[in-house]
């Protein structure tokens, strides 16, 4: 694979990630509070677990799933390794944007 093809495929993968996260967002948060489900972690733990660590926990779930899928066939038909990688990409972007949102609100 050459660089141009790599970047074209990456662009398509990012578009796929966005298509995946949009409907999930509607199920877990709102337009006014896009991080509501992660802030709920802080509330449920009386502030002992930060939203960031909640997001990282979801990332670790995805890492473990990828490791399992590399070692054995998939038992769940609609959760492929590619789907899991896309989910992980989305959680990492959510973490990045949550942190940026906190910095913006602190200014």
């Amino acid at each position: 694979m050459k660089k141009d093809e790599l970047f074209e495929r990456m662009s398509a993968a990012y578009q796929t990630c966005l298509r995946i996260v949009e409907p999930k967002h509607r199920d877990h948060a709102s337009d006014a509070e896009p991080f509501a489900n992660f802030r709920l972690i802080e509330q449920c733990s009386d502030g002992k677990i930060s939203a960031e660590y909640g997001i990282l926990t979801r990332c670790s779930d995805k890492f473990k799933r990828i490791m399992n899928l590399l070692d054995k066939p998939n038992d769940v038909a609609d959760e492929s390794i590619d789907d899991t990688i896309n989910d992980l990409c989305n959680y990492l972007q959510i973490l990045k944007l949550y942190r940026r949102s906190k910095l913006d609100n602190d200014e």
Side-chain angles (χ1 to χ4, degrees), residues 3 5 12 14 17 21 32 37-38 41-42 44 52-53 80-81 86-87 91-92 94 100 107:
K3 181 187 81 165
E5 184 180 357
Y14 294 143
C17 288
V21 80
N37 55 324
F38 299 110
I41 294 165
E42 292 177 335
C44 290
E52 289 99 327
Y53 276 97
S80 70
I81 194 166
N86 288 337
D87 287 342
Y91 280 117
L92 291 170
I94 289 168
R100 185 167 294 153
E107 292 177 353

Side-chain angles (χ1 to χ4, degrees), residues 39-91:
R39 288 200 170 110
L40 183 61
I41 294 165
E42 292 177 335
Q43 295 168 354
C44 290
S45 69
D46 292 325
K48 294 177 184 158
I49 302 171
S50 69
E52 289 99 327
Y53 276 97
I55 298 167
L56 285 173
T57 298
R58 295 298 297 137
C59 290
S60 70
D61 294 342
K62 298 302 175 180
F63 269 116
K64 183 62 178 165
R65 177 138 179 81
I66 291 167
M67 292 169 65
N68 288 340
L69 291 172
L70 289 172
D71 291 337
K72 63 181 180 178
N74 188 12
D75 290 335
V76 181
D78 64 343
E79 292 184 22
S80 70
I81 194 166
D82 286 351
D83 293 333
T84 306
I85 291 169
N86 288 337
D87 287 342
L88 179 58
C89 287
N90 282 332
Y91 280 117

Side-chain angles (χ1 to χ4, degrees), residues 1-18 86 89:
M1 176 182 311
K2 296 193 177 182
K3 181 187 81 165
D4 289 344
E5 184 180 357
L6 172 70
F7 291 156
E8 285 175 22
R9 288 185 182 199
M10 287 180 74
S11 178
Y14 294 143
Q15 289 301 312
T16 298
C17 288
L18 191 57
N86 288 337
C89 287

